Amino acid sequence: MILGFVILYLLLSVGIGLAAARRVHTAKDFAVAGRSLPLPIVIATVFATWFGAEAVLGISATFVKEGLRGVVADPFGSSLALILVGLFFAPRFYRLNLLTVGDFYRLRYNRVVEVLCALCIAASYLGWVAAQFKVFGLVLNVVTDGAVSQPVGMVIGAVIVLAYTAFGGMFSVAILDFVQISVIMGGLVYIASIVSGLVGGVGVVIEHAAAAGKLDFFPPATFAAWVPFVGAWMTMMLGSIPQQDVFQRVTSAKDERTAVRGSLLGGTLYFCFCFVPMFLAYAATLIDPALFNTLLAQDSQLVLPTLIMQHTPVFAQVVFFGAVLSAVMSCASATLLAPSVILSENVIKGLLPHLSDREFLRVMRLVVVIFAVLVLTIALTSNSSIYQLVVGTYEVTLVAAFVPLCAGLFWSRSTTQGALCAFVAGLATWMGLQLFGSSGSIWHPQLTGFVMAVAGMVAGSLLPQKIGTRDA
């Protein structure tokens, strides 16, 4: 029954996505849905920005092992990023009427800054999309009782997501996000009601988690504890702001007010709903401590699927895996589309300036396919956890792209030379510390890289200018 439902659900999703693809006629339709989306759909797409593999399985597994302090990056940092975008960035982004966030770097600085930042932003999606494919493989492996291996499940998931994303672009992503958010929210609330009954109520789980120290959020009052804590928080909170998927959701709205409200409401909704999988995973350790403590030591990402398969009725299992698939597909399609669009617009288009709009649309679709193959390869070969794949991807945008974006929007004295200095100083510092730094240092590479990027921007902008806006 579960497998039959999964197959039916996947076919239905592909059908809806392909139906929405009929509205795509131009590159603007493909990239930002023609700037026509109403508030409910914008909220759904913002929520789906990060409510994927890591939210359902990654965050919950990390919380059970490390408590709230372990998930400071996501959902605390990531939801704050969406709220900051709504408060400070969405109005400016929308008024610019650009196709990608990479276009801003070209208009504010020059072509070199555009290409460098676009490449870093695109690279940041590799781990994120790989995490979604990993969960797809995990779900198919569980619901088929091992008949479909995780690698084969990853391939199937990649093909399905690619099928509608490559044709429908942002229109397909947005429509499916709206459908899937209903399945996610309804499904998780229903599962939570079932599981809470198994453990004696929500209060029992909260009291046990508090007694075990899992609800302690702030670290001890020492410098050595706070520096890594702030660094982890900043990685997602600031590093995810210069992201193409966030930019697309803002600029796909029908007007500026919708863009702002959609970002604020979507970010708040994401933060609240991330606690549902955390509650479910921790409740599992109370239902069968021996089994789930063993799973925590072997593969903590299996805690939640195992709980559902062994301790809930068949209908609840159907609802849960429907919610998981909805989360994975909505997140994977969006994060597959975003880097493909920014690579096409800000790297390839400059090399092929005479393409017509229809030819450029074909290039975008081809890049989606190529990027999907690359990410699938990473998912099949990586041994990193889902949470590690997601959080680690935003380090590069924090050190390389955030400071030029923020300075370009809010500091009138920022210059092209400053942007290049920030990019080089931040990225070089981060890469150097990743390769040669001490693993025991409290100064994480991305935090040091961010500080150096700020210093590079200030020094490069205030010193005598050797690089003009249209130089380099």
Side-chain angles (χ1 to χ4, degrees):
M1 180 179 176
I2 299 175
L3 181 59
F5 169 79
V6 167
I7 293 173
L8 178 62
Y9 183 78
L10 294 177
L11 291 175
L12 181 63
S13 296
V14 172
I16 294 173
L18 292 178
R22 292 184 298 175
R23 298 185 61 181
V24 176
H25 305 292
T26 67
K28 188 175 183 179
D29 290 340
F30 188 82
V32 291
R35 290 168 67 93
S36 62
L37 301 182
L39 180 62
I41 296 183
V42 174
I43 293 173
T45 58
V46 170
F47 173 86
T49 304
W50 285 306
F51 203 91
E54 77 298 336
V56 179
L57 300 181
I59 291 176
S60 60
T62 304
F63 170 74
V64 172
K65 296 175 69 175
E66 304 177 27
L68 283 181
R69 201 172 297 155
V71 295
V72 60
D74 192 13
F76 289 92
S78 54
S79 57
L80 274 174
L82 295 173
I83 293 171
L84 288 175
V85 167
L87 290 174
F88 302 108
F89 294 86
R92 294 171 181 263
F93 277 171
Y94 197 87
R95 291 171 202 159
L96 290 172
N97 194 22
L98 305 175
L99 198 63
T100 70
V101 66
D103 290 341
F104 171 81
Y105 294 104
R106 182 184 68 252
L107 294 178
R108 182 62 175 82
Y109 302 115
N110 66 5
R111 169 69 177 164
V112 173
V113 178
E114 172 195 15
V115 172
L116 292 175
C117 289
L119 289 173
C120 281
I121 292 170
S124 71
Y125 285 93
L126 294 172
W128 189 281
V129 188
Q132 314 310 313
F133 289 167
K134 271 183 170 287
V135 173
F136 221 117
L138 178 66
V139 169
L140 293 182
N141 178 257
V142 171
V143 299
T144 61
D145 198 22
V148 175
S149 66
Q150 289 194 33
V152 172
M154 292 181 204
V155 174
I156 294 173
V159 171
I160 290 171
V161 172
L162 182 61
Y164 62 83
T165 305
F167 285 100
M170 193 59 195
F171 263 124
S172 291
V173 169
I175 298 301
L176 274 173
D177 282 349
F178 185 71
V179 173
Q180 290 163 341
I181 191 177
S182 304
V183 178
I184 293 167
M185 295 174 69
L188 288 179
V189 169
Y190 170 72
I191 294 297
S193 68
I194 296 291
V195 172
S196 65
L198 296 176
V199 295
V202 175
V204 173
V205 178
I206 294 176
E207 288 175 9
H208 193 281
K214 300 297 182 181
L215 302 186
D216 296 339
F217 180 65
F218 293 107
T222 64
F223 191 73
W226 270 91
V227 170
F229 180 81
V230 172
W233 198 334
M234 286 178 55
T235 299
M236 288 289 283
M237 182 174 65
L238 303 183
S240 54
I241 288 177
Q243 288 293 331
Q244 176 60 19
D245 56 334
V246 175
F247 180 90
Q248 281 177 297
R249 279 149 178 72
V250 170
T251 54
S252 295
K254 65 178 182 179
D255 53 47
E256 182 181 320
R257 184 184 180 190
T258 300
V260 173
R261 293 170 65 196
S263 185
L264 293 173
L265 293 173
T268 303
L269 190 64
Y270 171 79
F271 177 77
C272 294
F273 256 83
C274 278
F275 285 92
V276 179
M278 285 191 265
F279 164 78
L280 293 173
Y282 194 82
T285 64
L286 305 184
I287 294 172
D288 191 342
L291 171 63
F292 291 108
N293 286 332
T294 301
L295 284 177
L296 282 175
Q298 295 175 350
D299 187 351
S300 58
Q301 294 163 167
L302 290 173
V303 168
L304 200 46
T306 304
L307 166 70
I308 301 302
M309 291 297 290
Q310 295 190 8
H311 296 278
T312 62
V314 173
F315 180 72
Q317 296 172 23
V318 169
V319 171
F320 172 77
F321 287 108
V324 171
L325 286 174
S326 294
V328 173
M329 292 174 68
S330 61
C331 190
S333 57
T335 49
L336 180 60
L337 176 67
S340 304
V341 169
I342 200 169
L343 284 174
S344 302
E345 167 72 8
N346 302 113
V347 179
I348 298 174
K349 190 176 182 180
L351 302 175
L352 303 170
H354 302 297
L355 289 177
S356 67
D357 187 77
R358 185 170 295 275
E359 290 171 334
F360 183 52
L361 178 58
R362 286 199 292 267
V363 168
M364 281 186 171
R365 285 171 167 156
L366 177 60
V367 175
V368 170
V369 175
I370 295 172
F371 197 85
V373 173
L374 176 61
V375 170
L376 178 60
T377 303
I378 293 173
L380 291 169
T381 57
S382 174
N383 293 321
S384 299
S385 71
I386 294 167
Y387 192 80
Q388 289 171 335
L389 281 171
V390 169
V391 174
T393 57
Y394 288 100
E395 294 181 6
V396 65
T397 47
L398 174 66
V399 302
F402 175 74
V403 172
L405 175 67
C406 198
L409 284 171
F410 301 108
W411 189 34
S412 61
R413 297 186 65 180
S414 62
T415 65
T416 299
Q417 179 173 286
L420 288 171
C421 288
F423 180 91
V424 172
L427 190 62
T429 301
W430 175 73
M431 292 180 66
L433 291 176
Q434 289 279 14
L435 295 173
F436 308 110
S438 172
S439 59
S441 174
I442 64 172
W443 290 92
H444 291 180
Q446 73 270 24
L447 185 57
T448 308
F450 171 75
V451 172
M452 292 302 295
V454 172
M457 172 58 77
V458 173
S461 297
L462 298 182
L463 290 174
Q465 301 298 296
K466 303 295 183 182
I467 302 175
T469 302
R470 301 201 178 275
D471 296 335

